[in-house]
Amino acid sequence: MKNVDIVILDLFLPQEISVDACADLSVPVLEKMLARAKCELLPSEVYSTGTLEEWLCRAFGIARQLDEPIAPITVMADGMQPGTGYWLRADPVHLQMQRTQLFLHPDVPLNADEATQLCASLNTHFAAEGLSFFSPHPQRWYLYMESIPDIVTRPLSQVAGRNVQTHLPKGQDALRWHKIFNEIQMLFFEHAVNQAREVHGDLPINSIWLWGGGHAVEQLARPYTKVCGDSFLAGAFAQAAGISYQILPDDLSPYVDDNEGDMLIIWEGLRRPFQQGDLHAWRDSVQCLEQSYIAPLWKALRNGHIKQLSLNVLNAGVVNRFVLTRSAVWKPWRLSKSLAQYALA
């Protein structure tokens, strides 16, 4: 008997699009789970942002702090050692001007050579300031420094598709980092890499986004014996904690039937289509979630292979937890509601 936590991002949509997006969407098992579970709204003093980064930090025993130390955790998953210095994620992004606002587009495809050239320019420009940039993965860059900057940053996932000007670093050193932010945009504006990208019709990398700063975490908690997911971030936490991590299989049944320990499942499959406004792809992803993962979990709970199942739904700064024990399976009087009825106000 074991406990299973599944974390699902962007399952509940804003009211203005939920009815259309969920029309005729057939997810009976998911709706049954939500109806029969005990629902808990997790406390805002513990989960203030409702991001996956924050959820994983709490799950793996990292106390709440102004910045969640994501960079030193993911830098290890990208094959580097954090050492004793301070790390920030410095991910490459495209900023698009719309009237008077700058909107951020993350996950812009680029290759390793382009990333290397852009980081080399950053290192040349900022060498005198003691800033060192690294690009072990084309879309995950890092900034290393010996001193601790007095700033509070916002996770890239919170800023994607939004006006960056309201999400820039805050704190005593904020003005210095705003200046750095502007210098990087000027440095990249006429960079040879971006000129070549524009010739080929690709979006230029015209800025970076700084977030997730901290020092290496000495020891993470080990609340699970296995972590499965479609999430690089979940894999990084599992690796840092010394826990087995596997990419989500097409069929979850063997994992929930054979594993006797507690298991964490991360499903990020809804995030990208939601952020890109592709509601058809979002619907397809919900169907995949239902058939490949929710249905096998429900069956395992009903058959007694799972002691407790918790669905943690992360949306727009809010974390809802739906907890099911085996007894909840046999409560048919709790009538299912359509997914649209869980829309965010």
Side-chain angles (χ1 to χ4, degrees), residues 80 87-88 90 114-136 141-145 177 180 183-184 187-188 191 208 210:
M80 301 172 63
W87 291 88
L88 278 159
E114 290 172 323
T116 298
Q117 290 185 57
L118 290 167
C119 272
S121 296
L122 291 174
N123 284 323
T124 299
H125 185 84
F126 292 107
E129 297 193 44
L131 306 181
S132 299
F133 292 85
F134 299 87
S135 57
W141 299 2
Y142 297 88
L143 170 57
Y144 175 85
M145 66 196 85
W177 289 93
I180 289 173
E183 287 183 29
I184 291 171
L187 181 66
F188 283 179
H191 198 284
I208 63 172
L210 298 171

Side-chain angles (χ1 to χ4, degrees), residues 5 10 21 34 36 66 80-81 89 102-103 121 147 164-165 207 274 285 339 344:
D5 286 347
D10 299 316
L34 294 173
R36 299 186 187 181
L66 293 177
M80 301 172 63
Q81 291 302 314
R89 285 282 290 266
L102 274 175
F103 289 87
S121 296
S147 59
V164 301
Q165 291 160 323
S207 190
F274 171 67
S285 190
L339 199 56
L344 302 171

Side-chain angles (χ1 to χ4, degrees), residues 1-4 256 261-262 300-310 323-328:
M1 304 286 280
K2 58 184 174 295
N3 301 320
V4 176
V256 296
D262 292 346
L301 180 67
R302 186 182 60 198
N303 293 342
H305 295 144
I306 294 176
K307 181 179 179 181
Q308 178 175 290
L309 173 62
S310 298
V323 180
L324 295 116
T325 58
R326 193 184 181 200
S327 63

Side-chain angles (χ1 to χ4, degrees), residues 210-287:
L210 298 171
W211 66 282
H215 290 92
V217 180
E218 290 187 5
Q219 182 62 52
L220 296 183
R222 302 183 65 184
Y224 307 100
T225 57
K226 183 187 291 292
V227 179
C228 293
D230 60 351
S231 165
F232 168 79
L233 187 60
F237 271 84
Q239 176 180 322
I243 300 172
S244 170
Y245 177 77
Q246 294 183 339
I247 299 296
L248 273 173
D250 293 334
D251 182 7
L252 196 62
S253 302
Y255 290 84
V256 296
D257 289 341
D258 295 343
N259 181 8
E260 288 302 317
D262 292 346
M263 181 165 66
L264 171 64
I265 301 168
I266 304 291
W267 176 258
E268 284 198 63
L270 303 175
R271 165 132 296 178
R272 178 167 291 186
F274 171 67
Q275 290 183 339
Q276 294 177 344
D278 188 346
L279 296 183
H280 291 290
W282 181 89
R283 287 169 58 91
D284 290 343
S285 190
V286 174
Q287 294 281 189

Side-chain angles (χ1 to χ4, degrees), residues 294-323:
I294 295 298
L297 288 170
W298 177 258
K299 181 180 178 181
L301 180 67
R302 186 182 60 198
N303 293 342
H305 295 144
I306 294 176
K307 181 179 179 181
Q308 178 175 290
L309 173 62
S310 298
L311 280 73
N312 300 271
V313 181
L314 278 55
N315 284 92
V318 177
V319 180
N320 289 282
R321 175 174 289 164
F322 298 83
V323 180

Side-chain angles (χ1 to χ4, degrees), residues 37-108:
K38 177 183 177 182
C39 181
E40 306 169 353
L41 183 63
L42 298 189
S44 59
E45 62 269 19
V46 179
Y47 297 90
S48 60
T49 63
T51 62
L52 178 62
E53 292 83 3
E54 180 183 60
W55 195 97
L56 288 168
C57 283
R58 299 298 89 77
F60 284 86
I62 299 175
R64 181 179 172 184
Q65 45 200 283
L66 293 177
D67 262 17
E68 307 290 3
I70 300 301
I73 292 172
T74 60
V75 79
M76 292 189 291
D78 277 322
M80 301 172 63
Q81 291 302 314
T84 59
Y86 189 92
W87 291 88
L88 278 159
R89 285 282 290 266
D91 295 333
V93 299
H94 173 74
L95 299 181
Q96 181 181 23
M97 178 66 76
Q98 294 183 13
R99 296 184 180 178
T100 61
Q101 298 183 332
L102 274 175
F103 289 87
L104 183 147
H105 299 275
D107 303 321
V108 180

